[in-house]
Amino acid sequence: IDRHPAGLSLFGWRMDILFILDPFDSLKPKKETSIAMMRAAVARGHRVFGCLQGDISLDQGKVTARVTPLELTGELSPWYKAGEVRIEPLSVFDAVLMRKDPPFDMEYVYSTYMLERAVEQGARVYNNPAAIRDHNEKFSITAYPQLTTDVMVTRDPARLREFVARHGEAVLKLLDGMGGASIFRARQDDPNLSVILETMNRFGTRTVMAQRYLPAIAQGDKRILLIDGEVVPHALARIPQAGEARGNMAAGGKPVAQPLSARDEEIARYLGPRLAAKGLFLVGLDVIGDSLTEINVTSPTGFMEITAQTGFDVPDFFIAQLEKRVAADRSAAGA
């Protein structure tokens, strides 16, 4: 890779950005946040590359990847043209963006190990791989009880039943769930409560998070984006379908962009600098009513929906923030 010819971007030099993705042809150009990021990067004069999680290797102490230069077509299909695949150290890229969707399984964990080693070798990985690994998207809210509703995390089925009885109804979720999968709304008087607990908890062998049910879900499960600690000024409320307790778009929720409420602002302003200081460059906060319910750090989405509905160009803001972060990190490293 030739390094940073001057004057090729609005930033002052051309960045080479590597995206770690799901299989390229599985991405949907109409709504894929990663593709929106790439388009914004190219529009600002940068070059984009892609690889899969399985393309990353460690050999003779050096972390490398089989990378594909990507030329964006501006079309929906095909959305890219692939250049010649080559093997490069991750440290040659100005930024490496981990955009592989969950599940957060052991293969994902192994990838964070290799990316963490790449950081030690000079790679700039956003979000920081150790921070991703340390911030379970469900459990991490427990560090901020002043921002959440009542929460319990346990393997004890009797305590889960007590929690449901305490509130009359509760939401039960697995700590490794995604996209609204394996989320149950449980009522104290539901004759199927025992079955729900057995299914979720597997008779005391699997940890479950219980949260007080929030009726404000009817107005949407709000996604608030933080980019290097800065708050995107619009939330994306995912409105559940009729008869549905989940607002996730993967579960059929309708995305509606809206201004942040005063409480949304309070939560975002409080968490923004704290999460950025931990190396979490892009974060998606989930808020129902006035309560924080999740802190998403793997591959937050919603860029295209907010941009289309409000005119605030989230992908361009993301790349502008990335430019500033890379410049600061290069300066700190003496590059």
Side-chain angles (χ1 to χ4, degrees):
I1 296 176
D2 56 297
R3 308 305 297 152
H4 311 306
L8 291 182
S9 77
L10 301 176
F11 184 39
W13 75 75
R14 177 173 63 195
M15 291 199 301
D16 292 321
I17 306 173
L18 174 63
F19 289 79
I20 303 171
L21 301 163
D22 289 294
F24 304 159
D25 291 335
S26 73
L27 305 182
K28 299 176 175 60
K30 283 188 176 181
K31 64 178 185 177
E32 176 59 52
T33 289
S34 296
I35 295 176
M37 290 174 174
M38 292 185 207
R39 289 173 174 164
V42 170
R44 296 178 72 92
H46 307 304
R47 297 191 300 189
V48 297
F49 301 75
C51 76
L52 307 184
Q53 189 178 13
D55 290 328
I56 303 169
S57 302
L58 185 147
D59 185 25
Q60 296 182 335
K62 182 71 70 174
V63 179
T64 63
R66 285 170 42 88
V67 305
T68 303
L70 299 175
E71 178 186 344
L72 306 189
T73 65
E75 305 294 331
L76 295 181
S77 181
W79 62 268
Y80 71 97
K81 292 181 181 178
E84 183 178 352
V85 177
R86 55 188 187 260
I87 296 177
E88 297 279 4
L90 267 63
S91 57
V92 307
F93 294 95
D94 297 285
V96 177
L97 303 181
M98 180 52 156
R99 293 289 303 168
K100 169 70 177 67
D101 279 342
F104 195 94
D105 54 14
M106 284 308 299
E107 285 301 319
Y108 199 112
V109 171
Y110 299 151
S111 294
T112 68
Y113 291 154
M114 287 196 284
L115 290 173
E116 189 173 8
R117 193 68 69 241
V119 169
E120 294 170 358
Q121 297 167 3
R124 288 176 285 274
V125 183
Y126 310 97
N127 289 332
N128 179 279
I132 293 177
R133 194 171 61 243
D134 290 346
H135 279 75
N136 178 276
E137 296 185 324
K138 308 293 191 297
F139 190 81
S140 58
I141 68 170
T142 62
Y144 311 102
Q146 73 276 28
L147 304 180
T148 71
T149 185
D150 192 19
V151 173
M152 175 183 284
V153 180
T154 185
R155 285 174 55 177
D156 186 339
R159 298 208 65 187
L160 289 171
R161 186 180 293 275
E162 291 169 4
F163 186 92
V164 176
R166 182 192 307 169
H167 296 289
E169 57 184 321
V171 171
L172 307 178
K173 57 179 71 173
L174 299 179
L175 295 180
D176 60 354
M178 60 166 288
S182 300
I183 292 179
F184 286 86
R185 178 180 174 185
R187 296 182 177 86
Q188 181 183 10
D189 59 356
D190 188 337
N192 292 311
L193 178 59
S194 293
V195 176
I196 292 172
L197 293 177
E198 290 164 7
T199 300
M200 294 287 289
N201 178 239
R202 292 182 181 171
F203 301 94
T205 64
R206 188 160 62 175
T207 301
V208 174
M209 170 175 277
Q211 295 176 320
R212 181 175 66 90
Y213 174 72
L214 299 169
I217 184 61
Q219 287 75 55
D221 181 355
K222 293 175 285 188
R223 167 61 54 83
I224 301 169
L225 295 169
L226 302 175
I227 302 176
D228 204 17
E230 295 295 323
V231 186
V232 171
H234 303 276
L236 189 68
R238 286 78 54 88
I239 312 295
Q241 293 184 354
E244 175 63 74
R246 301 169 299 171
N248 311 71
M249 289 188 285
K254 178 183 177 182
V256 177
Q258 60 188 38
L260 301 182
S261 69
R263 176 61 169 172
D264 294 341
E265 286 269 5
E266 179 186 1
I267 292 172
R269 299 293 177 194
Y270 181 84
L271 290 176
R274 289 167 170 80
L275 297 176
K278 295 176 183 291
L280 295 169
F281 181 82
L282 173 60
V283 176
L285 306 177
D286 286 352
V287 174
I288 298 175
D290 291 337
S291 297
L292 176 72
T293 61
E294 291 187 17
I295 301 175
N296 294 273
V297 300
T298 49
S299 57
T301 61
F303 282 33
M304 296 180 78
E305 293 84 357
I306 293 174
T307 300
Q309 294 183 38
T310 70
F312 182 88
D313 193 334
V314 184
D316 184 72
F317 179 65
F318 174 84
I319 297 299
Q321 290 291 96
L322 183 63
E323 290 171 347
K324 289 190 283 188
R325 172 48 47 202
V326 168
D329 289 347
R330 280 170 55 87
S331 177

